[in-house]
Amino acid sequence: MSQEIKLTIPSDSKFLGLLRMVVEHYLTLHCVRKELVYKLIMSVDEACSNIIKHSYLGNKEQPIKLLLRFEGRTFKVELRDYGKQNDPSQFQPRPLDKIEP
């Protein structure tokens, strides 16, 4: 089974539960190990939360587009937003001893 899933949700955090359910169901259909499913769901959720907070600056009326697919045994996620862009050359990683959950 290699069908891809496309989903567009509003940039409102109340729709993140729907997004998590879709990701979970898709991964379960592809027989992904349960302990990995949770980590992948949280990763997608965090990325979408960052879009809402940092790209759309809390505007709840903008689209977040999600594409899920498998390429062989590799799980691929594509997220698309149309908000504020940042210059990647200005990104500064945190020191490892300063990273918090």
PDB file of all heavy atoms in Angstrom, residues 17 32-33 37 41-42 50 52 54 59 77 79 82 87 92:
ATOM      1  N   GLY A  17      -5.566  18.047  16.556  1.00  0.00           N
ATOM      2  CA  GLY A  17      -6.037  16.720  16.952  1.00  0.00           C
ATOM      3  C   GLY A  17      -6.444  15.899  15.727  1.00  0.00           C
ATOM      4  O   GLY A  17      -6.140  14.704  15.633  1.00  0.00           O
ATOM      5  N   VAL A  32       3.594   0.529  10.879  1.00  0.00           N
ATOM      6  CA  VAL A  32       4.720   1.151  11.573  1.00  0.00           C
ATOM      7  C   VAL A  32       4.632   0.777  13.047  1.00  0.00           C
ATOM      8  O   VAL A  32       3.535   0.755  13.630  1.00  0.00           O
ATOM      9  CB  VAL A  32       4.708   2.684  11.383  1.00  0.00           C
ATOM     10  CG1 VAL A  32       5.793   3.358  12.195  1.00  0.00           C
ATOM     11  CG2 VAL A  32       4.854   3.027   9.895  1.00  0.00           C
ATOM     12  N   ARG A  33       5.771   0.486  13.658  1.00  0.00           N
ATOM     13  CA  ARG A  33       5.811   0.115  15.083  1.00  0.00           C
ATOM     14  C   ARG A  33       5.192   1.209  15.950  1.00  0.00           C
ATOM     15  O   ARG A  33       5.435   2.393  15.742  1.00  0.00           O
ATOM     16  CB  ARG A  33       7.251  -0.125  15.525  1.00  0.00           C
ATOM     17  CG  ARG A  33       7.900  -1.325  14.902  1.00  0.00           C
ATOM     18  CD  ARG A  33       9.280  -1.592  15.500  1.00  0.00           C
ATOM     19  NE  ARG A  33       9.987  -0.412  15.927  1.00  0.00           N
ATOM     20  CZ  ARG A  33      10.993   0.166  15.249  1.00  0.00           C
ATOM     21  NH1 ARG A  33      11.401  -0.334  14.114  1.00  0.00           N
ATOM     22  NH2 ARG A  33      11.601   1.220  15.730  1.00  0.00           N
ATOM     23  N   VAL A  37       5.339   5.327  15.885  1.00  0.00           N
ATOM     24  CA  VAL A  37       4.157   6.103  15.487  1.00  0.00           C
ATOM     25  C   VAL A  37       4.014   7.342  16.363  1.00  0.00           C
ATOM     26  O   VAL A  37       3.831   8.456  15.870  1.00  0.00           O
ATOM     27  CB  VAL A  37       2.875   5.228  15.541  1.00  0.00           C
ATOM     28  CG1 VAL A  37       1.615   6.089  15.422  1.00  0.00           C
ATOM     29  CG2 VAL A  37       2.899   4.171  14.445  1.00  0.00           C
ATOM     30  N   ILE A  41       4.088  11.211  15.084  1.00  0.00           N
ATOM     31  CA  ILE A  41       2.924  12.086  15.288  1.00  0.00           C
ATOM     32  C   ILE A  41       3.359  13.374  15.987  1.00  0.00           C
ATOM     33  O   ILE A  41       2.981  14.479  15.581  1.00  0.00           O
ATOM     34  CB  ILE A  41       1.829  11.377  16.120  1.00  0.00           C
ATOM     35  CG1 ILE A  41       1.201  10.246  15.327  1.00  0.00           C
ATOM     36  CG2 ILE A  41       0.760  12.366  16.564  1.00  0.00           C
ATOM     37  CD1 ILE A  41       0.321   9.341  16.169  1.00  0.00           C
ATOM     38  N   MET A  42       4.147  13.254  17.035  1.00  0.00           N
ATOM     39  CA  MET A  42       4.585  14.429  17.789  1.00  0.00           C
ATOM     40  C   MET A  42       5.476  15.341  16.939  1.00  0.00           C
ATOM     41  O   MET A  42       5.412  16.565  17.066  1.00  0.00           O
ATOM     42  CB  MET A  42       5.304  14.017  19.067  1.00  0.00           C
ATOM     43  CG  MET A  42       4.399  13.388  20.115  1.00  0.00           C
ATOM     44  SD  MET A  42       3.102  14.517  20.729  1.00  0.00           S
ATOM     45  CE  MET A  42       1.674  14.021  19.786  1.00  0.00           C
ATOM     46  N   ASN A  50       4.620  25.048  15.104  1.00  0.00           N
ATOM     47  CA  ASN A  50       5.593  26.096  14.770  1.00  0.00           C
ATOM     48  C   ASN A  50       5.118  26.939  13.600  1.00  0.00           C
ATOM     49  O   ASN A  50       5.342  28.158  13.578  1.00  0.00           O
ATOM     50  CB  ASN A  50       6.956  25.478  14.481  1.00  0.00           C
ATOM     51  CG  ASN A  50       7.654  25.021  15.741  1.00  0.00           C
ATOM     52  OD1 ASN A  50       7.358  25.479  16.838  1.00  0.00           O
ATOM     53  ND2 ASN A  50       8.582  24.083  15.589  1.00  0.00           N
ATOM     54  N   ILE A  52       1.975  27.609  12.897  1.00  0.00           N
ATOM     55  CA  ILE A  52       0.932  28.472  13.456  1.00  0.00           C
ATOM     56  C   ILE A  52       1.545  29.629  14.236  1.00  0.00           C
ATOM     57  O   ILE A  52       1.169  30.786  14.055  1.00  0.00           O
ATOM     58  CB  ILE A  52      -0.018  27.652  14.353  1.00  0.00           C
ATOM     59  CG1 ILE A  52      -0.826  26.666  13.510  1.00  0.00           C
ATOM     60  CG2 ILE A  52      -0.940  28.573  15.159  1.00  0.00           C
ATOM     61  CD1 ILE A  52      -1.578  25.614  14.310  1.00  0.00           C
ATOM     62  N   HIS A  54       4.974  30.719  14.425  1.00  0.00           N
ATOM     63  CA  HIS A  54       6.068  31.525  13.882  1.00  0.00           C
ATOM     64  C   HIS A  54       5.856  31.991  12.446  1.00  0.00           C
ATOM     65  O   HIS A  54       6.357  33.049  12.068  1.00  0.00           O
ATOM     66  CB  HIS A  54       7.385  30.749  13.964  1.00  0.00           C
ATOM     67  CG  HIS A  54       7.748  30.367  15.359  1.00  0.00           C
ATOM     68  ND1 HIS A  54       8.087  31.295  16.322  1.00  0.00           N
ATOM     69  CD2 HIS A  54       7.810  29.162  15.976  1.00  0.00           C
ATOM     70  CE1 HIS A  54       8.358  30.685  17.462  1.00  0.00           C
ATOM     71  NE2 HIS A  54       8.189  29.380  17.285  1.00  0.00           N
ATOM     72  N   ASN A  59      -2.402  33.725  13.300  1.00  0.00           N
ATOM     73  CA  ASN A  59      -3.572  33.920  12.442  1.00  0.00           C
ATOM     74  C   ASN A  59      -4.226  32.558  12.194  1.00  0.00           C
ATOM     75  O   ASN A  59      -3.599  31.666  11.629  1.00  0.00           O
ATOM     76  CB  ASN A  59      -3.149  34.574  11.127  1.00  0.00           C
ATOM     77  CG  ASN A  59      -4.314  34.850  10.208  1.00  0.00           C
ATOM     78  OD1 ASN A  59      -5.369  34.216  10.291  1.00  0.00           O
ATOM     79  ND2 ASN A  59      -4.123  35.795   9.311  1.00  0.00           N
ATOM     80  N   VAL A  77       6.988  13.264   4.877  1.00  0.00           N
ATOM     81  CA  VAL A  77       5.999  14.267   5.269  1.00  0.00           C
ATOM     82  C   VAL A  77       6.393  15.565   4.596  1.00  0.00           C
ATOM     83  O   VAL A  77       7.544  15.993   4.681  1.00  0.00           O
ATOM     84  CB  VAL A  77       5.982  14.494   6.800  1.00  0.00           C
ATOM     85  CG1 VAL A  77       4.999  15.585   7.174  1.00  0.00           C
ATOM     86  CG2 VAL A  77       5.680  13.210   7.533  1.00  0.00           C
ATOM     87  N   LEU A  79       5.103  19.565   4.522  1.00  0.00           N
ATOM     88  CA  LEU A  79       4.226  20.596   5.063  1.00  0.00           C
ATOM     89  C   LEU A  79       4.424  21.861   4.242  1.00  0.00           C
ATOM     90  O   LEU A  79       5.555  22.198   3.881  1.00  0.00           O
ATOM     91  CB  LEU A  79       4.558  20.879   6.531  1.00  0.00           C
ATOM     92  CG  LEU A  79       4.262  19.752   7.499  1.00  0.00           C
ATOM     93  CD1 LEU A  79       4.860  20.038   8.852  1.00  0.00           C
ATOM     94  CD2 LEU A  79       2.769  19.525   7.608  1.00  0.00           C
ATOM     95  N   TYR A  82       2.074  29.436   3.848  1.00  0.00           N
ATOM     96  CA  TYR A  82       2.235  30.625   3.014  1.00  0.00           C
ATOM     97  C   TYR A  82       2.490  31.861   3.876  1.00  0.00           C
ATOM     98  O   TYR A  82       2.184  32.976   3.481  1.00  0.00           O
ATOM     99  CB  TYR A  82       0.987  30.820   2.146  1.00  0.00           C
ATOM    100  CG  TYR A  82       0.716  29.600   1.288  1.00  0.00           C
ATOM    101  CD1 TYR A  82      -0.118  28.591   1.736  1.00  0.00           C
ATOM    102  CD2 TYR A  82       1.348  29.449   0.068  1.00  0.00           C
ATOM    103  CE1 TYR A  82      -0.336  27.456   0.972  1.00  0.00           C
ATOM    104  CE2 TYR A  82       1.136  28.313  -0.708  1.00  0.00           C
ATOM    105  CZ  TYR A  82       0.289  27.321  -0.250  1.00  0.00           C
ATOM    106  OH  TYR A  82       0.084  26.191  -1.001  1.00  0.00           O
ATOM    107  N   ASP A  87      15.092  33.804   6.988  1.00  0.00           N
ATOM    108  CA  ASP A  87      16.330  33.579   6.255  1.00  0.00           C
ATOM    109  C   ASP A  87      17.105  32.449   6.938  1.00  0.00           C
ATOM    110  O   ASP A  87      17.593  32.626   8.063  1.00  0.00           O
ATOM    111  CB  ASP A  87      17.149  34.871   6.255  1.00  0.00           C
ATOM    112  CG  ASP A  87      18.467  34.747   5.517  1.00  0.00           C
ATOM    113  OD1 ASP A  87      18.765  33.650   4.979  1.00  0.00           O
ATOM    114  OD2 ASP A  87      19.199  35.743   5.464  1.00  0.00           O
ATOM    115  N   GLN A  92      20.430  29.961  14.178  1.00  0.00           N
ATOM    116  CA  GLN A  92      21.525  29.621  15.072  1.00  0.00           C
ATOM    117  C   GLN A  92      21.102  28.435  15.933  1.00  0.00           C
ATOM    118  O   GLN A  92      20.111  28.535  16.653  1.00  0.00           O
ATOM    119  CB  GLN A  92      21.895  30.807  15.969  1.00  0.00           C
ATOM    120  CG  GLN A  92      22.382  32.015  15.205  1.00  0.00           C
ATOM    121  CD  GLN A  92      23.687  31.736  14.483  1.00  0.00           C
ATOM    122  OE1 GLN A  92      24.560  31.075  15.019  1.00  0.00           O
ATOM    123  NE2 GLN A  92      23.796  32.209  13.256  1.00  0.00           N
TER     124      GLN A  92
END
